[in-house]
Amino acid sequence: DSGVTQTPKHLITATGQRVTLRCSPRSGDLSVYWYQQSLDQGLQFLIQYYNGEERAKGNILERFSAQQFPDLHSELNLSSLELGDSALYFCASSADRGSSDTQYFGPGTRLTVL
Amino acid sequence: GNSVTQMEGPVTLSEEAFLTINCTYTATGYPSLFWYVQYPGEGLQLLLKATKADDKGSNKGFEATYRKETTSFHLEKGSVQVSDSAVYFCALSGYTGGSEKLVFGKGTKLTVNP
């Protein structure tokens, strides 16, 4: 158990809908990262927050957004969903701001868009 | 930009066989290098890391040496066990697009048979 929790575990929705994925980092960790894992694209970094502020951005679509709240939990919002958004979404956390810091991954949320 | 190339799988070995999974990278500057492991149905876990040239990372019998001259970070284990069956990801942390990010290879699935 990494100490990172993600909810929900599974999500099934329809095209055009909007969903919110939630992540609670390990106790004391200030950075939260979001990744998308799909068969064709592999594991792609989406975005990082450090202590409430956006720190780094990867291949995140404009339809996706994220935030980190004062209690350090984070939410990833996916809107106008398309079939191609079906994937596993992982959250990770680390103590510090650098991506070279050890990242601890949650179990993931599997999103299926029908 | 930064990238990681690792050998395509799947790799199937018998118990106690020697394992090598090749990983090469392209990066500007001096990245940190990682191997992560993903067991079925779980998130990624850090297996080992190396932060500078000639460093050797090791954990649970696995080893990898940061070779700057060949831009490689090959994963090795002398005697694999059935419990090592998992997907292994090589990754680097470095600056790309103005911020520090973790970039993953596509993963290599290892199956160890008794």
Side-chain angles (χ1 to χ4, degrees), chain B:
Chain B
N2 295 344
S3 66
V4 173
T5 303
Q6 62 181 103
M7 63 187 279
E8 302 251 341
V11 174
T12 302
L13 296 173
S14 298
E15 207 163 23
E16 299 183 5
F18 184 84
L19 168 72
T20 300
I21 301 178
N22 290 337
C23 170
T24 57
Y25 67 89
T26 302
T28 53
Y30 304 95
S32 294
L33 301 174
F34 305 82
W35 278 99
Y36 278 84
V37 59
Q38 185 177 28
Y39 297 103
E42 297 183 13
L44 279 73
Q45 300 174 26
L46 178 67
L47 182 58
L48 53 85
K49 70 190 247 187
T51 57
K52 61 183 189 297
D54 301 324
D55 266 4
K56 178 187 277 189
S58 60
N59 185 26
K60 299 181 182 179
F62 290 90
E63 290 183 341
T65 301
Y66 188 164
R67 301 276 188 213
K68 193 162 169 58
E69 63 278 10
T70 53
T71 61
S72 65
F73 193 56
H74 305 321
L75 182 68
E76 295 183 337
K77 186 175 186 184
S79 175
V80 294
Q81 305 300 311
V82 172
S83 57
D84 293 326
S85 298
V87 181
Y88 292 81
F89 292 90
C90 185
L92 74 82
S93 171
Y95 278 89
T96 181
S99 55
E100 194 181 10
K101 300 175 183 116
L102 199 55
V103 174
F104 287 89
K106 291 202 175 291
T108 303
K109 183 175 181 180
L110 170 67
T111 301
V112 180
N113 295 319

Side-chain angles (χ1 to χ4, degrees), chain A residues 72-91:
Chain A
L72 300 176
H73 91 272
S74 177
E75 293 181 356
L76 178 67
N77 300 297
L78 315 176
S79 61
S80 303
L81 285 167
E82 302 175 359
L83 295 177
D85 298 327
S86 295
L88 254 178
Y89 291 85
F90 287 108
C91 164

